[in-house]
Amino acid sequence: MLVYLTTKPFVSLCKSNSHPQSMAKGKKRSYWLLKTEPGEWSWDDQRANGGVSQWDGVRNRQAVNHLKSMRPGDLSFFYHSGSARQIVGVVQVIKPWYLIGDEEIDGAVDVKEMGEMKHRIELKEIKKAAEKEKELKSFALLRQPRLSVVSVPDWIWEKLCEMGGGFDNGDNNDDDDEDEEEMEE
């Protein structure tokens, strides 16, 4: 069994598929962005709720299909929409799509707080970065701004994590020189 030791366990997850113990063997982690109106459900609500919540209320067919594609271990940016328009944290899918009502579209996934971004990433910062890196313009957040659940390609995940300085759960250890260390048990 491999154990990963690091002083910054959550920041390491910014490197796409860098923490294999959280995914089933041979499965690739997927990345997402979940939007919410802070007045309806905010990052503070997520944290106050013990960090675990049911992500539901999605009605757009494409967004629902994204939720249905999520698997335990997948990571998602937690994005405040409305006037805030910023990535504020990261959550992990802990329970895949399940029905909560009678309609096929009435379902949810469960997510758990992983950590808050060290620097919240405003939409205007992402748009500014897209002016310099044209490939970033393909990001669904910029192409389909009204979609509440979007897929995030690996390289965009890493770019946004870099822009936000990574994320953590309150670990104040700022020693960025520590790398993950593998140990056999």
Side-chain angles (χ1 to χ4, degrees):
M1 175 170 136
L2 290 178
V3 177
Y4 288 83
L5 300 176
T6 179
T7 59
K8 303 188 87 94
F10 297 102
V11 174
S12 68
L13 291 172
C14 280
K15 294 178 182 156
S16 61
N17 293 296
S18 67
H19 213 272
Q21 72 187 39
S22 62
M23 295 297 293
K25 193 169 189 166
K27 298 285 184 182
K28 183 177 179 285
R29 171 181 283 131
S30 294
Y31 301 96
W32 308 93
L33 182 140
L34 297 167
K35 289 184 182 179
T36 180
E37 287 279 346
E40 295 291 320
W41 188 257
S42 70
W43 181 250
D44 290 338
D45 294 326
Q46 182 73 29
R47 295 184 96 181
N49 197 43
V52 177
S53 67
Q54 181 182 72
W55 202 274
D56 60 0
V58 176
R59 293 287 180 228
N60 176 282
R61 176 61 62 191
Q62 186 177 3
V64 167
N65 287 339
H66 286 319
L67 284 178
K68 288 180 176 181
S69 296
M70 291 180 173
R71 299 289 170 254
D74 285 356
L75 296 177
S76 179
F77 287 121
F78 191 105
Y79 181 91
H80 281 169
S81 57
S83 61
R85 296 183 182 172
Q86 59 186 347
I87 296 172
V88 296
V90 174
V91 294
Q92 182 176 42
V93 177
I94 58 171
K95 184 176 180 182
W97 175 265
Y98 58 96
L99 291 177
I100 57 174
D102 296 332
E103 298 179 41
E104 177 187 330
I105 199 169
D106 196 12
V109 298
D110 289 353
V111 297
K112 179 181 179 182
E113 171 203 4
M114 293 298 290
E116 188 168 348
M117 299 304 294
K118 289 186 175 184
H119 164 73
R120 293 182 173 200
I121 311 163
E122 295 185 13
L123 179 61
K124 64 184 176 184
E125 293 176 71
I126 299 169
K127 287 180 175 180
K128 187 175 181 178
E131 291 301 317
K132 294 177 182 173
E133 293 184 51
K134 300 297 183 199
E135 301 85 19
L136 197 54
K137 287 186 178 185
S138 67
F139 183 28
L141 176 65
L142 302 178
R143 285 186 304 104
Q144 297 175 289
R146 296 189 52 81
L147 197 58
S148 63
V149 182
V150 299
S151 176
V152 180
D154 292 2
W155 71 273
I156 292 179
W157 176 267
E158 290 178 9
K159 173 72 176 170
L160 293 175
C161 277
E162 179 184 313
M163 289 173 64
F167 61 97
D168 63 40
N169 67 345
D171 177 10
N172 291 325
N173 184 351
D174 288 329
D175 184 4
D176 288 329
D177 295 328
E178 291 263 348
D179 290 328
E180 287 183 352
E181 178 183 324
E182 278 186 22
M183 289 180 46
E184 295 264 352
E185 256 192 334

